[in-house]
Amino acid sequence: MTLAFAAEIPAAADRVAIIRNIYSRHNKRRVGIGAPAMVAGLRVHEPANKTALQRHLSRLASEGVDALIVDGGDGTIRDVLTLGIPLFGHRMPAIALAPSGKTNALAHDLGIGERTLEQTVGAIARARRVTRRALAVTRAGERQVLHGFLLGSGAFVRATALAQRAHRFGAFNGVAVGMSLTSVIARTLFGGDTGVWRRGEPMTFLSNDGVGTTVPTYLFMAAALTRFPLGLAPFGRGAFSDDRVASLAIEAPPRQLLRHLAPLLRGTDDAALAQAGYHRCRDGEVMLETQSGFVIDGERFEGGRIAVRRGPEVTFIAGD
């Protein structure tokens, strides 16, 4: 690292910390080859699991760090927020993301391209800062609140498995999204009305007074992202209020999918979509029951009754 670049590091270097996910795609090759314990004078924390991550974050919270560099992907950010927000409270440090995961949807949303760990250190001093409020997901009977940016159930769970398969073939980021989307569409179109992709599952959507409506549902998604890979806009165009949950529910079986696919993906405001069972909503809270489980930022969790709202504001170091 050059002296000029090192000068961009905040003066209070002991108030900046690095969390590296050793299992992220770009980091796996570093394991066992003597990855540096320090980068630009900053200690690199490499927790091996969530329990260790919580221990590291607890220590950093007691030290009062101001900025946290996260070397990982969407799942790493989910775990850092889920475990970190209760520990840091209103002093949650600004997060600078060094994207090293498989899809890096949040990095795309923040305008971050290929940013190395060293470049991320420098970005703390010069890059713009933005606030984001992740989804806050609570499961009935559990105290932990999951914080992430993209949640899905129904066909979304199976689509995530397809994405993992695409990763094994070397497809990542937008390419993996495109391959998975193409595969989902093909399986849905040619699976027949009784096929597993088309028949969906009964999901119960609950109002604030607890009254539920059960609907055969092909897919449910909720997001706290503002931009999606490949220019997709499944939740519609226009600014999203950061206190609302943007969601999409598609009734099963999906009707006239080929006709509605383009306006659905482009974010077109088309009244025919709702009439055909493609429902976009922006609510303060979404409560539903799903038996197939749900995926949030790449990891599957067991189903049941869940409540989805927006979490507290967190500052991120965006792209230049």
Side-chain angles (χ1 to χ4, degrees), residues 201-312:
E201 67 166 283
M203 289 189 193
T204 301
F205 296 87
L206 297 100
S207 61
N208 290 333
D209 58 7
V211 176
T213 302
T214 301
V215 181
T217 304
Y218 167 71
L219 175 145
F220 173 80
M221 292 173 58
L225 298 169
T226 60
R227 295 191 304 168
F228 292 84
L230 305 179
L232 302 178
F235 302 96
R237 298 287 179 181
F240 289 4
S241 173
D242 67 1
D243 65 347
R244 315 294 284 181
V245 176
S247 66
L248 169 68
I250 301 177
E251 296 177 23
R255 287 175 276 171
Q256 299 176 308
L257 180 59
L258 276 182
R259 174 187 170 186
H260 296 297
L261 186 62
L264 177 67
L265 296 180
R266 291 177 189 154
T268 304
D269 187 10
D270 188 346
L273 285 173
Q275 295 172 359
Y278 301 77
H279 305 288
R280 293 180 179 131
C281 298
R282 298 185 185 184
D283 302 298
E285 180 180 42
V286 179
M287 292 182 288
L288 70 150
E289 290 184 2
T290 173
Q291 299 307 314
S292 65
F294 62 94
V295 169
I296 182 165
D297 291 341
E299 182 174 346
R300 182 185 179 277
F301 295 85
E302 292 300 320
R305 179 174 294 195
I306 63 174
V308 185
R309 55 181 70 88
R310 298 294 285 271

Side-chain angles (χ1 to χ4, degrees), residues 149-168:
F149 286 86
L150 182 62
L151 175 146
S153 189
F156 190 93
V157 175
R158 290 186 290 276
T160 300
L162 291 178
Q164 297 297 336
R165 193 175 306 169
H167 298 325
R168 288 197 293 271

Side-chain angles (χ1 to χ4, degrees), residues 6-257:
E8 295 182 310
I9 301 171
D14 58 327
R15 297 179 68 86
V16 179
I18 300 173
I19 295 286
R20 172 186 284 150
N21 183 352
I22 60 175
Y23 304 108
S24 288
R25 176 171 65 102
H26 288 297
N27 293 335
K28 284 182 178 180
R29 55 181 163 227
R30 296 192 179 106
V31 176
I33 61 172
M38 303 285 286
V39 172
L42 303 174
R43 180 186 174 191
V44 179
H45 299 260
E46 295 184 329
N49 50 48
K50 292 181 183 180
T51 300
L53 174 60
Q54 185 168 32
R55 186 169 61 250
H56 282 273
L57 289 173
S58 180
R59 175 180 172 182
L60 294 174
S62 67
E63 294 172 355
V65 296
D66 298 313
L68 189 60
I69 297 170
V70 178
D71 183 358
D74 297 320
T76 309
I77 289 290
R78 178 202 60 234
D79 291 342
V80 167
L81 293 180
T82 296
L83 299 174
I85 286 176
L87 292 170
F88 286 94
H90 68 281
R91 284 190 50 82
M92 186 72 193
I95 293 179
L97 177 60
S100 58
K102 299 182 180 71
T103 53
N104 302 305
L106 179 60
H108 176 84
D109 181 49
L110 295 172
I112 301 170
E114 295 289 331
R115 189 161 79 179
T116 66
L117 183 56
E118 291 75 13
Q119 289 170 333
T120 305
V121 174
I124 293 176
R126 56 180 168 75
R128 62 191 175 92
R129 300 189 175 210
V130 299
T131 59
R132 291 285 188 272
R133 296 177 61 181
L135 299 176
V137 183
T138 306
R139 294 181 288 180
E142 297 190 13
R143 296 180 60 184
Q144 185 180 61
V145 180
L146 301 170
H147 294 273
F149 286 86
L150 182 62
L151 175 146
S153 189
F156 190 93
V157 175
R158 290 186 290 276
T160 300
L162 291 178
Q164 297 297 336
R165 193 175 306 169
H167 298 325
R168 288 197 293 271
F169 284 100
F172 301 97
N173 299 317
V175 175
V177 173
M179 288 179 61
S180 301
L181 181 60
T182 301
S183 182
V184 168
I185 294 169
R187 291 165 188 253
T188 301
L189 287 173
F190 303 112
D193 285 349
T194 60
V196 64
W197 283 90
R198 291 184 59 82
R199 66 171 176 256
E201 67 166 283
M203 289 189 193
T204 301
F205 296 87
L206 297 100
S207 61
N208 290 333
D209 58 7
V211 176
T213 302
T214 301
V215 181
T217 304
Y218 167 71
L219 175 145
F220 173 80
M221 292 173 58
L225 298 169
T226 60
R227 295 191 304 168
F228 292 84
L230 305 179
L232 302 178
F235 302 96
R237 298 287 179 181
F240 289 4
S241 173
D242 67 1
D243 65 347
R244 315 294 284 181
V245 176
S247 66
L248 169 68
I250 301 177
E251 296 177 23
R255 287 175 276 171
Q256 299 176 308
L257 180 59

